[in-house]
Amino acid sequence: GKFINVKGNVHLERFEFTKLPIKFGKVGGSFYCQNNVLTSLEGAPEKVGGDFYCSGNKLTSLDGAPREVGGVFECSHNKLKSLKGAPNKVGSEFNCSENLITSLEGAPKEVGDDFICVDCELTSLVGAPKEVAGRFDCSINYIEYLYGAPEKVGCFICNGNRLTSLDGSPEEVYGSFSCFNNKCRFTEDDVLEVSNVKGRIYIEEPL
């Protein structure tokens, strides 16, 4: 079929769409299809210059998602069971929070800013990008060990998991490191033993 290329933004949010009405090629601006009832991203553009928002749908898979997104890729509040099909490269933030994913396999290899995977069903961080320039937040999951975490991050947040050890933490954390509300109560020394943290360390929930 024919693909539609768009220079500017595409607004398809809040239309009760179960699928995208046309097939897109390249979109120069941002692509908004959040808050519909989409069960598939079939027809989504292959490349988006700006942001791509598909949060608040009924997606179980990211098949059909753009390969490359210049800005934010936001797919939270869906029923995703896997990140397979996610873009290879996201210029800004990647957010896949509040989904049913148990693994980060298939996540983008390159993320320009934050990587947020809060309140999913994650048991491990295997599949995470090697470097995250902004914050990496994997709070409120079922993670028992940190192997697979990025090697270098801006900030690292792993509160509210099942950690009994911090082995596998990022080697370099340029900002803060936060690890409260886990199975084990960690000390600052526990953190500094595994990670070179330049910023503050939060071992208890701030009041």
Side-chain angles (χ1 to χ4, degrees), residues 16-177:
E16 299 287 312
F17 286 134
T18 53
K19 61 178 196 199
L20 294 170
I22 41 182
K23 283 185 163 65
F24 293 88
K26 288 181 180 162
V27 171
S30 293
F31 191 95
Y32 301 100
C33 61
Q34 71 271 32
N35 302 332
N36 282 294
V37 281
L38 296 175
T39 55
S40 155
L41 287 177
E42 200 187 328
E46 193 161 310
K47 198 171 178 186
V48 173
D51 301 334
F52 184 92
Y53 278 79
C54 61
S55 43
N57 280 293
K58 295 195 184 315
L59 299 171
T60 54
S61 140
L62 289 175
D63 288 341
R67 298 314 324 123
E68 210 174 296
V69 172
V72 170
F73 184 90
E74 162 65 90
C75 60
S76 61
H77 295 278
N78 274 293
K79 299 187 184 318
L80 295 175
K81 296 196 167 86
S82 157
L83 292 180
K84 288 188 176 69
N88 299 320
K89 195 174 175 187
V90 173
S92 181
E93 175 187 304
F94 178 82
N95 189 343
C96 60
S97 300
E98 295 188 53
N99 275 295
L100 306 174
I101 51 170
T102 55
S103 150
L104 293 178
E105 303 274 2
K109 295 278 171 273
E110 279 182 59
V111 172
D113 194 5
D114 299 341
F115 187 108
I116 304 172
C117 50
V118 172
D119 198 6
C120 294
E121 312 274 324
L122 295 173
T123 54
S124 115
L125 294 177
V126 172
K130 292 272 170 266
E131 283 189 37
V132 172
R135 66 197 162 104
F136 182 92
D137 191 347
C138 59
S139 302
I140 318 173
N141 278 290
Y142 302 96
I143 298 163
E144 293 179 17
Y145 54 87
L146 293 174
Y147 294 107
E151 288 158 20
K152 297 177 179 180
V153 292
C155 293
F156 188 73
I157 307 163
C158 58
N159 308 321
N161 277 290
R162 296 185 172 173
L163 298 171
T164 53
S165 152
L166 294 174
D167 289 348
S169 290
E171 290 158 32
E172 296 286 336
V173 179
Y174 303 111
S176 59
F177 189 115

